Amino acid sequence: MSTDSRSSWQLTHDLDAFHARAADFLRSEPALHTALLSVTDTLRVQGLHVYGEEAPHFGTYADADAGADAGAAGRVRGAFLRTPPYPMTLSPVGPEAAEALARQLAATTPDLSGVAAARETAEAFARAWEKHTGVTATLGTRQRLYRLDTLTPPEPAPPGRARVAAEGDLDLLARWYREFCAAVGQRPGMDAGEWGTSRISYGGVTLWETPDGTPTAMASVTRRAAGQVRVATVYTPAALRGRGYAGAATVAVSRAALDAGAGEVLLFTDLANPTSNGLYQRIGYRPVRDFAQYDFSG
């Protein structure tokens, strides 16, 4: 993405102002901006403090003539959001924009815990952050964004069926969400019960269950935003893995998203996990772009 010296970052804690300024930009490439879109949607639906007590922080990178209000004419070229204590999520931007943001935030937000972005952007911001703050940036999770091409159910499918999770499954979903976060080494993004309640409210979790009705795996999706949904939190308890349950649940939730009108179905995988990367490609997902998270310390 090209930038020039006439562009600058404008920061705010006002979600509505950020949405008004950034919405068209985020919707212009919904796949690359999927995390920004889904987190913004969650904040708008569930409230500003769903991820923590501290107020979220937002920013847009725009032509200098964009002004401070949403109606100004400058073109938005980049965006970020931060929901403390979690790392900042940053759209793909060029090195000049990453440098400018690091310099500006270093003066106002020295406790930034990290950055998650497309690989080149994350690396550029991390190096700039080290320069302006003296902290150490360590490469953490490396992810690959996939987009569904032609859905290809695995053969043979495991015995059983898919069903949409309901209120009676809330305790199970909360437990599995906590287990999922522990298994992948990430801090839960929100209270486990609140996560389950939110997903159930829009039919966002599909369970795979055996013929006797025992749940064996779950796959969830974000709400549709800008025509796209993202498969997230695919989980099978350790004792039940290797039997095709996660793949079957992912196929079912992906098909449901398409049937509901999603234009794109996306998902992220951890590049350190060859099993999940292989599975999703076998059922029809194709690589879009690599992403990375850098963690800041000291």
Side-chain angles (χ1 to χ4, degrees), residues 122-224:
E123 182 175 0
F125 182 88
R127 299 288 82 84
W129 191 252
E130 288 181 319
K131 180 177 74 173
H132 289 291
T133 66
V135 306
T136 299
T138 303
L139 178 61
T141 307
R142 297 181 305 116
Q143 294 185 313
R144 180 160 292 159
L145 177 65
Y146 287 87
R147 178 191 288 115
L148 182 61
D149 184 13
T150 300
L151 188 61
T152 308
E155 295 292 344
R161 67 182 184 94
R163 69 169 176 86
V164 176
E167 289 290 337
D169 301 303
L170 185 56
D171 288 345
L172 173 70
L173 299 190
R175 184 174 76 252
W176 279 4
Y177 177 68
R178 288 190 293 266
E179 291 176 4
F180 167 83
C181 292
V184 300
Q186 76 178 32
R187 178 186 299 179
M190 63 180 71
D191 174 79
E194 190 166 5
W195 179 87
T197 298
S198 172
R199 289 295 199 269
I200 287 172
S201 71
Y202 60 91
V205 180
T206 292
L207 298 171
W208 188 266
E209 58 184 20
T210 57
D212 67 0
T214 301
T216 58
M218 72 173 178
S220 76
V221 291
T222 59
R223 288 184 180 87
R224 189 163 76 230

Side-chain angles (χ1 to χ4, degrees), residues 3-7 9 61 93-103 124:
T3 61
D4 59 55
S5 59
R6 296 173 299 169
S7 299
W9 286 98
Y61 188 69
V93 295
E96 180 180 319
E99 164 72 25
L101 181 60
R103 183 172 61 250

Side-chain angles (χ1 to χ4, degrees), residues 11-272:
L11 312 184
T12 183
H13 289 286
D14 188 327
L15 174 59
D16 290 336
F18 171 73
H19 183 261
R21 285 178 55 79
D24 288 347
F25 167 73
L26 297 178
R27 291 172 180 274
S28 69
E29 292 188 273
L32 294 183
H33 302 148
T34 178
L36 285 155
L37 285 163
S38 62
V39 174
T40 300
D41 178 76
T42 298
L43 292 169
R44 285 167 63 84
V45 172
Q46 295 182 243
L48 289 176
H49 300 288
V50 66
Y51 295 107
E53 294 183 2
E54 190 175 341
H57 196 192
F58 311 96
T60 50
Y61 188 69
D63 295 341
D65 60 353
D69 57 66
R75 182 164 66 94
V76 173
R77 300 170 180 270
F80 81 85
L81 63 78
R82 175 181 177 240
T83 54
Y86 301 98
M88 175 179 68
T89 300
L90 176 61
S91 70
V93 295
E96 180 180 319
E99 164 72 25
L101 181 60
R103 183 172 61 250
Q104 194 164 345
L105 289 181
T108 61
T109 317
D111 61 341
L112 187 65
S113 62
V115 62
R119 181 176 55 81
E120 302 88 344
T121 295
E123 182 175 0
F125 182 88
R127 299 288 82 84
W129 191 252
E130 288 181 319
K131 180 177 74 173
H132 289 291
T133 66
V135 306
T136 299
T138 303
L139 178 61
T141 307
R142 297 181 305 116
Q143 294 185 313
R144 180 160 292 159
L145 177 65
Y146 287 87
R147 178 191 288 115
L148 182 61
D149 184 13
T150 300
L151 188 61
T152 308
E155 295 292 344
R161 67 182 184 94
R163 69 169 176 86
V164 176
E167 289 290 337
D169 301 303
L170 185 56
D171 288 345
L172 173 70
L173 299 190
R175 184 174 76 252
W176 279 4
Y177 177 68
R178 288 190 293 266
E179 291 176 4
F180 167 83
C181 292
V184 300
Q186 76 178 32
R187 178 186 299 179
M190 63 180 71
D191 174 79
E194 190 166 5
W195 179 87
T197 298
S198 172
R199 289 295 199 269
I200 287 172
S201 71
Y202 60 91
V205 180
T206 292
L207 298 171
W208 188 266
E209 58 184 20
T210 57
D212 67 0
T214 301
T216 58
M218 72 173 178
S220 76
V221 291
T222 59
R223 288 184 180 87
R224 189 163 76 230
Q228 56 86 39
V229 301
R230 189 174 72 257
V231 177
T233 320
V234 177
Y235 180 69
T236 306
L240 298 173
R241 292 173 192 166
R243 307 181 193 184
Y245 297 139
T250 303
V251 166
V253 81
S254 301
R255 181 181 290 116
L258 293 173
D259 291 345
E264 291 185 312
V265 183
L266 310 164
L267 58 79
F268 281 107
T269 63
D270 185 343
L271 284 172

Side-chain angles (χ1 to χ4, degrees), residues 264-295:
E264 291 185 312
V265 183
L266 310 164
L267 58 79
F268 281 107
T269 63
D270 185 343
L271 284 172
N273 187 338
T275 300
S276 62
N277 281 270
L279 166 65
Y280 295 132
Q281 291 183 77
R282 287 194 298 275
I283 64 178
Y285 282 86
R286 300 293 175 257
V288 175
R289 192 162 183 173
D290 285 359
F291 284 68
Q293 177 176 309
Y294 281 83
D295 300 313

